[in-house]
């Protein structure tokens, strides 16, 4: 019996160090680190959308002109719009602050018959639309919902025509105004995101000076109110995050 106990103790003594050594060599691998998505960084990309708006009032401002102070009517306008944008965002916690600039080309146009004159028509065409806006949003991981607002500009051509002589007056003007909007953006990868948004633009009422293109006509002025709405979708290439 003593021999059996002695042999058992000896066997345990021999096995224990090896077992302890083997256990010491075992390493439990750490859990993989899941990267936390952040919107911090800059981006640039392209967009396409649809613009619709109105060119209203057309109030006569020509001193001594017929119908002075009266409205000649107004019209709606619409067309596709395409452009580019670039900006930067900064995220802290779930809040995202950013600034963005964009520029779009369009041919949104419309025409109306004068509400006071016979055989006279007025026309406008928006050539370009631009804005510089701030963005305030909240991020749910890769999805960002945001509000935006800031300064806006439009490039517009105006014209007046008659059925007898055709185009009689023209004008081009770059008008300043403001814009507000709402949108959502989703990051497909670290470098690529897509967005959909709506924006409202208001350029107020501005006196437009029409230049005659027919000899014998004197310069004319009208006060025109321009507003526009745009729904657009686009993609952004992101970097610097």
């Amino acid at each position: 019996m003593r021999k059996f106990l002695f042999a058992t103790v000896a066997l345990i003594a021999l096995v224990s160090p090896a077992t302890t050594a083997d256990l010491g060599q075992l390493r439990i691998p750490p859990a993989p680190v899941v990267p936390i998505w952040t919107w911090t960084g800059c981006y640039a990309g392209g967009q396409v959308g649809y613009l619709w708006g109105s060119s209203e009032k057309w109030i006569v401002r020509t001193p001594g002109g017929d119908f002075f102070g009266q409205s000649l009517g107004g019209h709606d306008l619409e067309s596709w719009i395409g452009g580019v944008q670039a900006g930067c965002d900064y995220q802290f916690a779930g809040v995202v602050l950013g600034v963005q600039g964009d520029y779009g080309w369009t041919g949104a146009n419309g025409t109306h018959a004068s509400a006071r004159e016979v055989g006279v028509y007025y026309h406008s065409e928006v050539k370009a639309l631009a804005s510089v806006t701030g963005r305030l949003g909240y991020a749910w991981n890769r999805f960002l919902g945001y509000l935006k607002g800031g300064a806006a500009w439009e490039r517009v051509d105006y014209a007046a025509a008659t059925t007898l002589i055709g185009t009689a007056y023209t004008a081009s003007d770059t008008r300043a105004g403001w814009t507000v909007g709402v949108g959502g953006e989703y990051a497909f990868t670290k470098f690529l995101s897509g967005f959909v948004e709506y924006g409202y633009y208001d350029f107020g009422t501005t006196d437009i000076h029409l230049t005659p293109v027919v000899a014998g006509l004197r310069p004319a002025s009208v006060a025109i109110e321009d507003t526009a709405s745009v729904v657009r979708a686009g993609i952004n290439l992101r970097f610097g995050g």
Side-chain angles (χ1 to χ4, degrees), residues 22-56:
D22 290 342
L23 290 175
Q25 293 177 357
L26 293 177
R27 295 291 186 270
I28 299 175
V33 177
V34 179
I36 299 175
W37 174 258
T38 177
W39 287 91
T40 297
C42 297
Y43 59 88
Q47 57 179 274
V48 64
Y50 200 76
L51 181 154
W52 69 97
S54 64
S55 183
E56 299 293 340

Side-chain angles (χ1 to χ4, degrees), residues 124-184:
S124 69
E125 181 176 359
V126 179
K127 309 295 287 187
L129 193 67
S131 68
V132 175
T133 56
R135 296 207 306 177
L136 172 62
Y138 191 85
W140 291 270
N141 197 10
R142 290 178 176 267
F143 177 77
L144 171 66
Y146 60 86
L147 301 173
K148 61 185 296 185
W153 297 265
E154 67 168 353
R155 183 65 179 174
V156 194
D157 289 344
Y158 299 98
T162 73
T163 54
L164 293 177
I165 63 176
T167 301
Y169 290 90
T170 62
S172 293
D173 192 41
T174 298
R175 302 181 57 166
W178 55 270
T179 180
V180 293
V182 60

Side-chain angles (χ1 to χ4, degrees), residues 52-56 74-78 108-112 124:
W52 69 97
S54 64
S55 183
E56 299 293 340
H75 57 262
D76 296 330
L77 46 87
E78 58 184 334
N109 65 90
T111 303
H112 74 273
S124 69

Side-chain angles (χ1 to χ4, degrees), residues 6 16 28 35 67 69 92-93 105 119 158 166 172 176-177 181 214 223:
F6 180 78
S16 296
I28 299 175
F67 311 110
F92 55 97
W105 295 268
Y158 299 98
S172 293
V214 176

